[in-house]
Amino acid sequence: MKISPLFLLSTLFLSPDVMAKGLETDYSASVNTFYGYTDYAKPYNKLYKQNNINSSFNFYGRMTYEFNKDYAVSLIGYLMSDTAKEIENYNQGIWGEEVYLLTETPYGEISVGQKNNVAYEMAVGAPNIGFYRTNNTDLVNFITNPNWYKKGHDAQYKTLNSTYINTDGVSSKISYVTPSFYGIKLGATYVPKTYSQTGLVAKDAPYKDDEAYIFGAYGLWNIRGYELESSLGYADYKNNDQEYSAGMSIYRKGWTLGGSYRKTEADTKHYALNKENLYDSYREGDAYNIGLSYEIGPFTTGISYFVSKAKKTDNKNEIISFSNSYQYNKYVTLSFTAAHLKADGENNDITNNSKGYAFIFGVELAI
């Protein structure tokens, strides 16, 4: 994280003149701890860990100054530290951050800084249960997936790990989102340099050196007691690939049914990369998910199914999960997830194929 811009912005917000006019602050923090037992198929038991304990610390902070009821500016920060390997990347190590400015006006919202793109933020899909995410799943902390590898300076994604457009991660960017019009919002994001490949190809591909243009649409309607959400996304990563996404969710009386789809494709004439490393093969593919959940009081339960496949190889992932969450009180939430992963590699070597069950118990302490 670059301290100088953040320090200058904080100094501006905390100046006597601003404080005198009134400054609203909001913050929250949580600590998550998970224990997971993994039951691999017999050939894999000696290769991978069966007992895992992971913990993470999350902090959210927001300072907002309202000029009047129509105009406001906020400095927003989200920090995360994790003992697992999931968020490691060559840019930040085993911690992550989002720090950005948000300006709210009657004509829409403008954000500048480190955050997800508009297509990702507007995306709708299979419901998340408690701490378990269907997309960018934490399951890789408990069951090894040879198609999703990210450690230190090595990163390689041979299949998509999300149905949401997440290739640029939280690279610095500027985004604009329109006001809601008949339940519809539109958004656009410009990324000067994509330095963080959260979910596609490898660190050696030139995503980190080029710009990207991303567009998103979101709709929310209430039709005869049914709450309907939908989303569309499109991204053009210069000299690399083009991506498309779509999702829909229906809610009624505690039940939520949702699903989403994503496709990536590369024009071999204009987007060709190093074929010796199969980058073109990896970045062309698709993924979809579908899920059903039910919420009654503090308890939520649900099941989801996720599939991801590279177009020109045999790389494929299938994940089915049964997740439960119980909010004991405003400070303590408990969770349990049972999931199965089957990951097929490019050949029949054990090191390129993995499958197994994970049984994950978690507790979150919120401040």
Side-chain angles (χ1 to χ4, degrees):
M1 178 175 63
K2 296 181 180 179
I3 300 299
S4 297
L6 180 58
F7 176 78
L8 291 174
L9 289 169
S10 300
T11 302
L12 173 64
F13 269 92
L14 296 175
S15 65
D17 290 340
V18 173
M19 291 296 288
K21 294 179 181 178
L23 180 69
E24 294 184 0
T25 61
D26 182 30
Y27 69 90
S28 63
S30 64
V31 177
N32 301 326
T33 298
F34 299 93
Y35 165 76
Y37 173 78
T38 302
D39 182 22
Y40 288 102
K42 191 172 181 180
Y44 308 95
N45 276 340
K46 295 181 180 180
L47 294 176
Y48 306 128
K49 293 172 61 178
Q50 288 188 288
N51 292 279
N52 298 273
I53 298 178
N54 297 325
S55 298
S56 67
F57 172 78
N58 304 272
F59 175 80
Y60 168 83
R62 178 170 181 153
M63 295 187 294
T64 301
Y65 176 69
E66 291 188 359
F67 295 92
N68 53 49
K69 65 179 182 178
D70 293 324
Y71 293 86
V73 61
S74 301
L75 175 64
I76 300 171
Y78 173 75
L79 304 176
M80 175 182 180
S81 178
D82 200 320
T83 62
K85 302 300 183 184
E86 178 207 356
I87 62 169
E88 282 197 0
N89 62 52
Y90 61 91
N91 186 64
Q92 295 174 162
I94 53 173
W95 61 287
E97 77 202 25
E98 293 182 38
V99 181
Y100 59 95
L101 274 176
L102 175 66
T103 301
E104 299 169 277
T105 76
Y107 309 102
E109 299 179 352
I110 299 174
S111 62
V112 180
Q114 292 176 270
K115 66 177 302 190
N116 291 304
N117 63 64
V118 293
Y120 183 93
E121 293 191 333
M122 292 178 171
V124 177
N128 295 315
I129 311 297
F131 318 127
Y132 183 82
R133 303 191 305 268
T134 303
N135 290 291
N136 307 339
T137 173
D138 287 322
L139 186 63
V140 292
N141 292 332
F142 301 93
I143 304 179
T144 300
N145 185 346
N147 291 325
W148 302 343
Y149 181 78
K150 195 173 188 181
K151 182 179 180 181
H153 290 271
D154 294 322
Q156 193 171 62
Y157 292 88
K158 299 178 182 180
T159 57
L160 296 172
N161 70 351
S162 175
T163 56
Y164 303 163
I165 297 175
N166 65 339
T167 302
D168 52 282
V170 292
S171 300
S172 298
K173 63 198 63 169
I174 180 169
S175 297
Y176 169 72
V177 177
T178 69
S180 179
F181 182 73
Y182 288 102
I184 299 174
K185 286 186 177 183
L186 304 176
T189 293
Y190 171 65
V191 187
K193 286 188 178 182
T194 302
Y195 61 70
S196 175
Q197 306 105 53
T198 300
L200 194 62
V201 195
K203 76 178 185 69
D204 294 316
Y207 288 88
K208 67 181 188 300
D209 299 323
D210 283 320
E211 59 189 356
Y213 299 88
I214 306 165
F215 304 92
Y218 171 80
L220 174 63
W221 305 275
N222 195 310
I223 304 173
R224 296 190 175 184
Y226 290 86
E227 186 175 285
L228 174 64
E229 288 183 283
S230 65
S231 65
L232 294 172
Y234 169 76
D236 185 355
Y237 290 93
K238 184 180 178 181
N239 296 327
N240 287 290
D241 72 69
Q242 295 175 317
E243 307 186 18
Y244 310 84
S245 67
M248 182 173 290
S249 175
I250 301 174
Y251 171 85
R252 180 175 172 83
K253 295 183 178 180
W255 291 93
T256 302
L257 174 65
S260 54
Y261 174 78
R262 176 183 174 193
K263 179 180 180 63
T264 60
E265 59 183 25
D267 185 323
T268 55
K269 181 178 179 180
H270 297 100
Y271 294 90
L273 294 177
N274 186 348
K275 291 188 177 181
E276 289 183 4
N277 292 306
L278 297 176
Y279 291 160
D280 283 318
S281 299
Y282 294 159
R283 66 203 173 116
E284 286 202 338
D286 52 21
Y288 68 88
N289 65 37
I290 187 169
L292 177 68
S293 70
Y294 179 65
E295 179 180 356
I296 178 169
F299 178 70
T300 305
T301 186
I303 189 169
S304 65
Y305 180 63
F306 174 91
V307 177
S308 178
K309 190 179 187 307
K311 181 178 179 181
K312 299 180 180 180
T313 73
D314 293 328
N315 300 98
K316 181 181 179 180
N317 304 301
E318 291 182 90
I319 299 174
I320 185 168
S321 57
F322 171 62
S323 300
N324 304 270
S325 176
Y326 177 73
Q327 185 170 352
Y328 179 73
N329 55 40
K330 65 178 182 179
Y331 302 108
V332 179
T333 303
L334 306 174
S335 71
F336 168 70
T337 297
H340 178 260
L341 164 68
K342 184 178 185 296
D344 295 324
E346 298 171 81
N347 52 53
N348 293 323
D349 291 340
I350 291 178
T351 55
N352 285 331
N353 294 267
S354 180
K355 60 182 177 180
Y357 294 88
F359 305 92
I360 307 166
F361 300 87
V363 59
E364 179 186 60
L365 303 178
I367 301 174

mmCIF file of all heavy atoms in Angstrom, residues 135-154:
data_model
loop_
_atom_site.group_PDB
_atom_site.id
_atom_site.type_symbol
_atom_site.label_atom_id
_atom_site.label_comp_id
_atom_site.label_asym_id
_atom_site.label_seq_id
_atom_site.Cartn_x
_atom_site.Cartn_y
_atom_site.Cartn_z
ATOM 1 N N ASN A 135 -17.839 -18.131 -5.644
ATOM 2 C CA ASN A 135 -16.790 -17.628 -6.517
ATOM 3 C C ASN A 135 -15.564 -17.237 -5.694
ATOM 4 O O ASN A 135 -15.681 -16.817 -4.544
ATOM 5 C CB ASN A 135 -17.281 -16.406 -7.296
ATOM 6 C CG ASN A 135 -18.311 -16.781 -8.340
ATOM 7 O OD1 ASN A 135 -18.004 -17.421 -9.331
ATOM 8 N ND2 ASN A 135 -19.562 -16.398 -8.095
ATOM 9 N N ASN A 136 -14.370 -17.351 -6.298
ATOM 10 C CA ASN A 136 -13.117 -17.089 -5.561
ATOM 11 C C ASN A 136 -13.126 -17.869 -4.259
ATOM 12 O O ASN A 136 -12.786 -17.347 -3.188
ATOM 13 C CB ASN A 136 -12.954 -15.599 -5.240
ATOM 14 C CG ASN A 136 -13.075 -14.714 -6.454
ATOM 15 O OD1 ASN A 136 -12.900 -15.153 -7.575
ATOM 16 N ND2 ASN A 136 -13.377 -13.457 -6.230
ATOM 17 N N THR A 137 -13.482 -19.105 -4.320
ATOM 18 C CA THR A 137 -13.808 -19.878 -3.130
ATOM 19 C C THR A 137 -12.624 -20.131 -2.201
ATOM 20 O O THR A 137 -11.497 -20.356 -2.655
ATOM 21 C CB THR A 137 -14.436 -21.224 -3.533
ATOM 22 O OG1 THR A 137 -14.602 -22.040 -2.383
ATOM 23 C CG2 THR A 137 -13.535 -21.971 -4.516
ATOM 24 N N ASP A 138 -12.897 -20.112 -0.905
ATOM 25 C CA ASP A 138 -11.903 -20.459 0.110
ATOM 26 C C ASP A 138 -11.615 -21.953 0.153
ATOM 27 O O ASP A 138 -10.726 -22.384 0.893
ATOM 28 C CB ASP A 138 -12.396 -20.030 1.502
ATOM 29 C CG ASP A 138 -12.349 -18.525 1.685
ATOM 30 O OD1 ASP A 138 -11.394 -17.911 1.188
ATOM 31 O OD2 ASP A 138 -13.261 -17.974 2.318
ATOM 32 N N LEU A 139 -12.348 -22.735 -0.610
ATOM 33 C CA LEU A 139 -12.149 -24.184 -0.588
ATOM 34 C C LEU A 139 -10.721 -24.565 -0.972
ATOM 35 O O LEU A 139 -10.200 -25.590 -0.525
ATOM 36 C CB LEU A 139 -13.140 -24.856 -1.535
ATOM 37 C CG LEU A 139 -13.160 -26.386 -1.519
ATOM 38 C CD1 LEU A 139 -13.582 -26.908 -0.153
ATOM 39 C CD2 LEU A 139 -14.075 -26.919 -2.610
ATOM 40 N N VAL A 140 -10.058 -23.720 -1.771
ATOM 41 C CA VAL A 140 -8.685 -24.034 -2.185
ATOM 42 C C VAL A 140 -7.706 -23.985 -1.013
ATOM 43 O O VAL A 140 -6.564 -24.420 -1.127
ATOM 44 C CB VAL A 140 -8.209 -23.083 -3.295
ATOM 45 C CG1 VAL A 140 -8.973 -23.343 -4.572
ATOM 46 C CG2 VAL A 140 -8.352 -21.633 -2.871
ATOM 47 N N ASN A 141 -8.133 -23.449 0.133
ATOM 48 C CA ASN A 141 -7.300 -23.498 1.336
ATOM 49 C C ASN A 141 -7.351 -24.877 2.002
ATOM 50 O O ASN A 141 -6.564 -25.154 2.907
ATOM 51 C CB ASN A 141 -7.745 -22.438 2.346
ATOM 52 C CG ASN A 141 -7.471 -21.038 1.853
ATOM 53 O OD1 ASN A 141 -6.550 -20.814 1.082
ATOM 54 N ND2 ASN A 141 -8.286 -20.093 2.284
ATOM 55 N N PHE A 142 -8.280 -25.723 1.577
ATOM 56 C CA PHE A 142 -8.472 -27.017 2.227
ATOM 57 C C PHE A 142 -8.288 -28.194 1.277
ATOM 58 O O PHE A 142 -7.895 -29.274 1.695
ATOM 59 C CB PHE A 142 -9.863 -27.076 2.861
ATOM 60 C CG PHE A 142 -10.089 -26.000 3.882
ATOM 61 C CD1 PHE A 142 -10.672 -24.801 3.530
ATOM 62 C CD2 PHE A 142 -9.673 -26.185 5.194
ATOM 63 C CE1 PHE A 142 -10.864 -23.800 4.469
ATOM 64 C CE2 PHE A 142 -9.862 -25.185 6.135
ATOM 65 C CZ PHE A 142 -10.448 -23.994 5.781
ATOM 66 N N ILE A 143 -8.616 -28.009 -0.003
ATOM 67 C CA ILE A 143 -8.387 -29.047 -1.005
ATOM 68 C C ILE A 143 -7.498 -28.460 -2.096
ATOM 69 O O ILE A 143 -7.860 -27.464 -2.723
ATOM 70 C CB ILE A 143 -9.700 -29.546 -1.633
ATOM 71 C CG1 ILE A 143 -10.669 -30.045 -0.565
ATOM 72 C CG2 ILE A 143 -9.404 -30.666 -2.632
ATOM 73 C CD1 ILE A 143 -11.991 -30.533 -1.125
ATOM 74 N N THR A 144 -6.348 -29.067 -2.336
ATOM 75 C CA THR A 144 -5.434 -28.573 -3.353
ATOM 76 C C THR A 144 -6.045 -28.695 -4.741
ATOM 77 O O THR A 144 -6.591 -29.727 -5.104
ATOM 78 C CB THR A 144 -4.113 -29.358 -3.315
ATOM 79 O OG1 THR A 144 -3.525 -29.192 -2.035
ATOM 80 C CG2 THR A 144 -3.158 -28.867 -4.381
ATOM 81 N N ASN A 145 -5.967 -27.601 -5.510
ATOM 82 C CA ASN A 145 -6.447 -27.597 -6.884
ATOM 83 C C ASN A 145 -5.279 -27.252 -7.809
ATOM 84 O O ASN A 145 -4.823 -26.110 -7.826
ATOM 85 C CB ASN A 145 -7.572 -26.579 -7.060
ATOM 86 C CG ASN A 145 -8.179 -26.632 -8.450
ATOM 87 O OD1 ASN A 145 -7.626 -27.235 -9.367
ATOM 88 N ND2 ASN A 145 -9.318 -25.991 -8.617
ATOM 89 N N PRO A 146 -4.764 -28.196 -8.579
ATOM 90 C CA PRO A 146 -3.613 -27.915 -9.438
ATOM 91 C C PRO A 146 -3.904 -26.908 -10.543
ATOM 92 O O PRO A 146 -2.971 -26.362 -11.132
ATOM 93 C CB PRO A 146 -3.269 -29.289 -10.019
ATOM 94 C CG PRO A 146 -4.543 -30.055 -9.955
ATOM 95 C CD PRO A 146 -5.230 -29.589 -8.712
ATOM 96 N N ASN A 147 -5.181 -26.651 -10.816
ATOM 97 C CA ASN A 147 -5.515 -25.664 -11.842
ATOM 98 C C ASN A 147 -5.486 -24.236 -11.323
ATOM 99 O O ASN A 147 -5.472 -23.291 -12.110
ATOM 100 C CB ASN A 147 -6.907 -25.959 -12.415
ATOM 101 C CG ASN A 147 -6.934 -27.220 -13.231
ATOM 102 O OD1 ASN A 147 -5.970 -27.539 -13.911
ATOM 103 N ND2 ASN A 147 -8.038 -27.953 -13.154
ATOM 104 N N TRP A 148 -5.509 -24.060 -9.998
ATOM 105 C CA TRP A 148 -5.451 -22.727 -9.397
ATOM 106 C C TRP A 148 -4.249 -22.679 -8.474
ATOM 107 O O TRP A 148 -4.289 -23.204 -7.361
ATOM 108 C CB TRP A 148 -6.714 -22.425 -8.592
ATOM 109 C CG TRP A 148 -7.982 -22.510 -9.374
ATOM 110 C CD1 TRP A 148 -8.128 -22.501 -10.721
ATOM 111 C CD2 TRP A 148 -9.312 -22.615 -8.836
ATOM 112 N NE1 TRP A 148 -9.450 -22.604 -11.067
ATOM 113 C CE2 TRP A 148 -10.202 -22.672 -9.929
ATOM 114 C CE3 TRP A 148 -9.826 -22.653 -7.552
ATOM 115 C CZ2 TRP A 148 -11.574 -22.771 -9.766
ATOM 116 C CZ3 TRP A 148 -11.195 -22.754 -7.388
ATOM 117 C CH2 TRP A 148 -12.061 -22.810 -8.490
ATOM 118 N N TYR A 149 -3.192 -22.050 -8.915
ATOM 119 C CA TYR A 149 -1.957 -22.029 -8.135
ATOM 120 C C TYR A 149 -1.489 -20.593 -7.971
ATOM 121 O O TYR A 149 -1.358 -19.854 -8.945
ATOM 122 C CB TYR A 149 -0.875 -22.844 -8.843
ATOM 123 C CG TYR A 149 0.433 -22.898 -8.075
ATOM 124 C CD1 TYR A 149 0.587 -23.752 -6.991
ATOM 125 C CD2 TYR A 149 1.504 -22.085 -8.438
ATOM 126 C CE1 TYR A 149 1.780 -23.811 -6.285
ATOM 127 C CE2 TYR A 149 2.693 -22.132 -7.741
ATOM 128 C CZ TYR A 149 2.828 -22.994 -6.662
ATOM 129 O OH TYR A 149 4.010 -23.035 -5.964
ATOM 130 N N LYS A 150 -1.236 -20.197 -6.730
ATOM 131 C CA LYS A 150 -0.829 -18.825 -6.463
ATOM 132 C C LYS A 150 -0.024 -18.783 -5.174
ATOM 133 O O LYS A 150 -0.552 -18.930 -4.081
ATOM 134 C CB LYS A 150 -2.062 -17.936 -6.341
ATOM 135 C CG LYS A 150 -1.773 -16.449 -6.427
ATOM 136 C CD LYS A 150 -3.089 -15.700 -6.457
ATOM 137 C CE LYS A 150 -2.880 -14.232 -6.725
ATOM 138 N NZ LYS A 150 -4.148 -13.501 -6.734
ATOM 139 N N LYS A 151 1.281 -18.628 -5.299
ATOM 140 C CA LYS A 151 2.142 -18.596 -4.123
ATOM 141 C C LYS A 151 3.363 -17.750 -4.423
ATOM 142 O O LYS A 151 4.084 -18.015 -5.381
ATOM 143 C CB LYS A 151 2.562 -20.008 -3.721
ATOM 144 C CG LYS A 151 3.430 -20.061 -2.473
ATOM 145 C CD LYS A 151 3.800 -21.492 -2.116
ATOM 146 C CE LYS A 151 4.664 -21.533 -0.860
ATOM 147 N NZ LYS A 151 5.054 -22.922 -0.509
ATOM 148 N N GLY A 152 3.602 -16.741 -3.576
ATOM 149 C CA GLY A 152 4.759 -15.895 -3.775
ATOM 150 C C GLY A 152 4.751 -15.255 -5.154
ATOM 151 O O GLY A 152 3.813 -14.571 -5.539
ATOM 152 N N HIS A 153 5.805 -15.511 -5.947
ATOM 153 C CA HIS A 153 5.919 -14.925 -7.281
ATOM 154 C C HIS A 153 5.411 -15.851 -8.370
ATOM 155 O O HIS A 153 5.594 -15.577 -9.554
ATOM 156 C CB HIS A 153 7.376 -14.544 -7.561
ATOM 157 C CG HIS A 153 7.844 -13.384 -6.736
ATOM 158 N ND1 HIS A 153 7.706 -12.072 -7.135
ATOM 159 C CD2 HIS A 153 8.425 -13.345 -5.516
ATOM 160 C CE1 HIS A 153 8.191 -11.269 -6.207
ATOM 161 N NE2 HIS A 153 8.639 -12.019 -5.209
ATOM 162 N N ASP A 154 4.784 -16.946 -8.000
ATOM 163 C CA ASP A 154 4.241 -17.876 -8.979
ATOM 164 C C ASP A 154 2.720 -17.823 -8.946
ATOM 165 O O ASP A 154 2.115 -17.979 -7.884
ATOM 166 C CB ASP A 154 4.703 -19.308 -8.687
ATOM 167 C CG ASP A 154 6.199 -19.465 -8.878
ATOM 168 O OD1 ASP A 154 6.731 -18.855 -9.825
ATOM 169 O OD2 ASP A 154 6.831 -20.176 -8.081
#
